[in-house]
């Protein structure tokens, strides 16, 4: 009798498990997405721009034009290629979301931000503060936190109207430009929104954002404008904007931005021009293509202030020599390496002087001090004197460059021609 009871319980238990399994499968089949929207109901945002003018937000959105046949990587995939690859929608509001809602009043499609690639900020907005904008990007469910951030001295909305020749999707083209720049030249440390927020909330409370601008005075916003070999106005990168807290405090030049890239270990590949015979002329007439570079920063407390020991190791290939040098000579190679090391040190020191004037720790020295000297950092925080400590910091560059290859010719052309 007991065995029959146990058998019956097992049968009921197995039947219950089968029932729950069937219910679970049915729930998957009949459930739907709570915010399901058809593709033809969405205006896909590929780029965004934000300005502050007349005490209110001015927002501009670049919407992919489905009838133009443009795709995400440039080129054409059918459709009407004579129509613009994207459309521009602008609105104003007391808050960002109010401006977004007002954009919907002039469009048949609801804005969809998950494909947003870049966002451009006007300098006036950056001076006011971008904390509210960052909050929106981190809070809104469909906002893309990996958008690349740029600052422009001009009106930010104008940047989004500029057409590009090799990329019909302008925002995708700008993304490719900044990623390519990081790989090949390393002047500007491209920064995404989530990384910008992280840096502004770090011990340094500062960040650097590349400047984006138009190289000419005219906005090329008609498809007929780009039907020429050389455009009078193109999208270009300029200086480096420095933020402290969430506010813009000043600019670094391209050369100063380059020095900052060495300090912050952002140099991947790059070209350095330098004088091959500085004792005769300080004019740059030689170049090396750096293939590898690494930076290590170590804070040292000396005589009541910090000294940042910055060790840089780099190697590369000679790509240009304008003077008469015999590169097959080992002593000549060693001398060129010393010239390059001196050049990099001078670039870094010039950048550091400009950073100190702005009093914004875009170098990340505060993070390094906190990591290596946590007790001293806690005392600095309690005394609220980081700005004073920062101004007293000295840098001590130690640069080691190795010329691994000299190219196809063992001697420079001028030395051969002279002989």
């Amino acid at each position: 009798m007991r065995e029959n009871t146990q058998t019956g319980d097992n049968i009921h238990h197995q039947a219950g498990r089968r029932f729950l399994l069937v219910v679970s499968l049915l729930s998957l089949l009949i459930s739907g997405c709570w915010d399901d929207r058809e593709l033809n109901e969405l205006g896909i945002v590929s780029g965004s721009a934000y300005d502050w003018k007349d005490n209110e937000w001015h927002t501009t959105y670049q919407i992919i034009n489905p009838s133009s046949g443009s795709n995400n990587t440039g080129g054409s995939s059918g459709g009407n290629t004579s129509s613009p690859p994207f459309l521009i929608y602008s609105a104003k509001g007391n808050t960002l979301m109010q401006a977004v809602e007002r954009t919907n009043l002039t469009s048949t499609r609801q804005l969809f931000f998950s494909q947003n690639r870049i966002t451009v900020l006007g300098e006036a907005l950056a001076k006011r503060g971008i904390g509210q904008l960052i909050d929106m990007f981190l809070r809104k469910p469909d906002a893309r936190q990996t958008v690349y951030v740029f600052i422009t001295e001009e009106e930010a909305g104008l940047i989004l109207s500029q057409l590009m020749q090799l990329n019909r999707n302008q925002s995708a083209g700008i993304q490719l430009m900044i990623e390519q720049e990081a790989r090949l030249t390393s002047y500007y440390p491209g920064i995404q929104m989530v990384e910008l927020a992280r840096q502004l909330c770090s011990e340094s409370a500062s960040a650097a954002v590349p400047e984006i601008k138009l190289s000419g005075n005219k906005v090329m916003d008609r498809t007929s404008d780009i039907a020429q070999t050389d455009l009078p106005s193109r999208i270009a990168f300029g200086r480096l904007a420095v933020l402290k807290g969430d506010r813009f405090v000043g600019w670094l030049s391209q050369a100063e931005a380059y020095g900052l890239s060495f300090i912050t270990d952002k140099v991947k590949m790059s070209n350095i021009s330098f004088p091959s015979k500085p004792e005769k002329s300080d004019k740059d007439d030689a170049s090396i293509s750096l293939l590898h570079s690494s930076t290590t920063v170590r804070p040292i407390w000396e005589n009541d202030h910090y000294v940042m020991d910055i060790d840089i190791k780099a190697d590369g290939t000679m790509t240009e020599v304008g003077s008469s040098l015999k590169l097959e000579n080992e002593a000549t190679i060693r001398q060129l390496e010393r010239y390059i090391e001196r050049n990099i040190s001078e670039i870094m020191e010039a950048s550091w002087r400009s950073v100190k004037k702005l009093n914004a720790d875009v170098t990340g020295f505060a993070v390094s001090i906190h990591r290596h000297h946590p007790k001293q950092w806690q005392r600095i925080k309690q005394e609220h004197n980081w700005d004073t400590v920062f101004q007293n910091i000295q840098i001590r560059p130690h640069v080691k460059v190795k010329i691994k290859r000299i190219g196809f010719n063992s001697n420079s052309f001028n030395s051969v021609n002279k002989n």
Side-chain angles (χ1 to χ4, degrees):
M1 184 68 177
R2 182 176 299 172
E3 292 179 357
N4 291 338
T5 302
Q6 292 177 348
T7 301
D9 291 341
N10 289 336
I11 292 174
H12 286 302
H13 182 66
Q14 292 176 2
R17 292 179 62 185
R18 293 193 189 99
F19 175 75
L20 291 175
L21 179 61
V22 171
V23 171
S24 299
L25 292 174
L26 288 175
S27 65
L28 292 176
L29 293 175
I30 63 176
S31 63
C33 184
W34 68 272
D35 62 347
D36 182 36
R37 289 170 287 181
E38 296 294 333
L39 186 61
N40 58 7
E41 298 175 352
L42 301 177
I44 299 177
V45 176
S46 59
S48 55
Y50 302 92
D51 290 288
W52 182 261
K53 191 165 49 176
D54 299 329
N55 204 34
E56 62 182 349
W57 292 90
H58 288 239
T59 62
T60 306
Y61 298 108
Q62 187 185 92
I63 312 298
I64 295 296
N65 184 2
S67 64
S68 72
S70 62
N71 54 37
N72 286 339
T73 58
S76 171
S77 60
N80 181 11
T81 56
S82 63
S83 63
F86 52 81
L87 306 173
I88 298 295
Y89 284 86
S90 301
K92 299 180 289 185
N94 293 324
T95 64
L96 287 163
M97 291 311 301
Q98 185 180 74
V100 171
E101 290 179 352
R102 288 178 177 176
T103 304
N104 291 326
L105 299 178
T106 60
S107 172
T108 59
R109 299 191 176 203
Q110 182 180 358
L111 297 186
F112 182 70
F113 293 90
S114 293
Q115 298 300 315
N116 191 11
R117 294 173 179 266
I118 67 165
T119 189
V120 183
L121 313 179
E123 183 180 328
L125 169 62
K127 288 180 177 178
R128 176 183 179 268
I130 61 172
Q132 186 175 343
L133 179 71
I134 294 176
D135 181 86
M136 188 271 289
F137 269 91
L138 298 181
R139 188 180 302 277
K140 199 170 183 294
D142 66 337
R144 192 173 184 178
Q145 300 173 6
T146 55
V147 294
Y148 281 97
V149 184
F150 301 91
I151 289 180
T152 182
E153 192 175 20
E154 310 160 9
E155 184 178 333
L158 293 178
I159 299 293
L160 295 187
S161 299
Q162 175 77 20
L163 293 172
M164 301 180 75
Q165 287 179 309
L166 298 180
N167 291 81
R168 289 179 60 79
N169 186 334
Q170 182 236 49
S171 295
I174 294 175
Q175 178 183 351
L176 290 174
M177 284 175 60
I178 194 64
E179 291 175 348
Q180 175 178 270
E181 193 281 331
R183 292 194 310 270
L184 302 180
T185 60
S186 303
Y187 287 125
Y188 309 103
I191 190 166
Q192 298 176 335
M193 184 65 73
V194 63
E195 177 64 15
L196 175 61
R198 188 193 68 79
Q199 290 187 17
L200 294 180
C201 292
S202 70
E203 294 90 336
S204 296
S206 301
V209 180
E211 178 192 20
I212 193 169
K213 64 178 184 177
L214 298 180
S215 61
N217 296 324
K218 181 182 178 182
V219 179
M220 315 295 285
D221 57 355
R222 300 172 64 89
T223 54
S224 58
D225 289 339
I226 60 173
Q228 50 186 314
T229 56
D230 188 15
L231 296 183
S233 180
R234 295 179 183 274
I235 289 175
F237 300 137
R239 299 163 293 177
L240 197 64
V242 175
L243 302 179
K244 183 176 181 179
D246 69 337
R247 297 175 186 271
F248 170 87
V249 294
W251 296 100
L252 294 178
S253 68
Q254 185 184 82
E256 293 163 350
Y258 191 35
L260 181 64
S261 292
F262 273 109
I263 294 173
T264 55
D265 196 22
K266 295 292 178 64
V267 175
K268 297 179 180 178
M269 294 179 62
S270 186
N271 179 81
I272 294 180
S273 298
F274 63 97
S276 61
K277 292 185 176 181
E279 68 279 1
K280 293 184 177 181
S281 173
D282 59 356
K283 183 179 180 181
D284 293 345
D285 64 347
S287 298
I288 182 175
S289 178
L290 294 183
L291 303 179
H292 304 94
S293 176
S294 63
T295 303
T296 303
V297 178
R298 187 174 64 258
I300 299 175
W301 183 257
E302 290 185 1
N303 300 324
D304 297 329
H305 69 276
Y306 272 106
V307 176
M308 311 303 289
D309 267 345
I310 305 175
D311 295 316
I312 295 179
K313 295 181 180 180
D315 61 72
T317 301
M318 291 297 299
T319 55
E320 180 183 8
V321 178
S323 61
S324 55
L325 291 176
K326 295 184 179 297
L327 300 182
E328 59 187 7
N329 190 330
E330 187 70 18
T332 301
I333 295 297
R334 299 286 85 80
Q335 190 65 48
L336 290 177
E337 290 174 347
R338 301 294 87 77
Y339 294 156
I340 299 167
E341 292 166 359
R342 185 190 309 166
N343 185 280
I344 293 176
S345 295
E346 290 174 354
I347 292 173
M348 293 168 55
E349 288 170 352
S351 176
W352 170 238
R353 287 193 294 269
S354 297
V355 168
K356 284 183 71 173
K357 289 180 181 178
L358 296 175
N359 198 29
D361 182 23
V362 288
T363 56
F365 287 164
V367 178
S368 182
I369 292 172
H370 186 193
R371 183 182 301 119
H372 289 88
H373 304 281
K375 291 183 179 179
Q376 286 180 280
W377 174 253
Q378 289 301 323
R379 185 161 58 250
I380 291 171
K381 282 186 63 179
Q382 291 172 1
E383 295 175 358
H384 302 287
N385 65 341
W386 167 241
D387 284 346
T388 302
V389 173
F390 181 73
Q391 287 297 317
N392 292 328
I393 289 177
Q394 295 179 337
I395 66 169
R396 191 158 53 198
H398 307 279
V399 184
K400 185 66 176 177
V401 173
K402 179 71 173 177
I403 298 176
K404 287 196 169 182
R405 300 178 184 87
I406 60 173
F408 291 132
N409 299 324
S410 58
N411 295 317
S412 67
F413 177 79
N414 283 339
S415 66
V416 175
N417 190 39
K418 187 176 181 180
N419 292 331

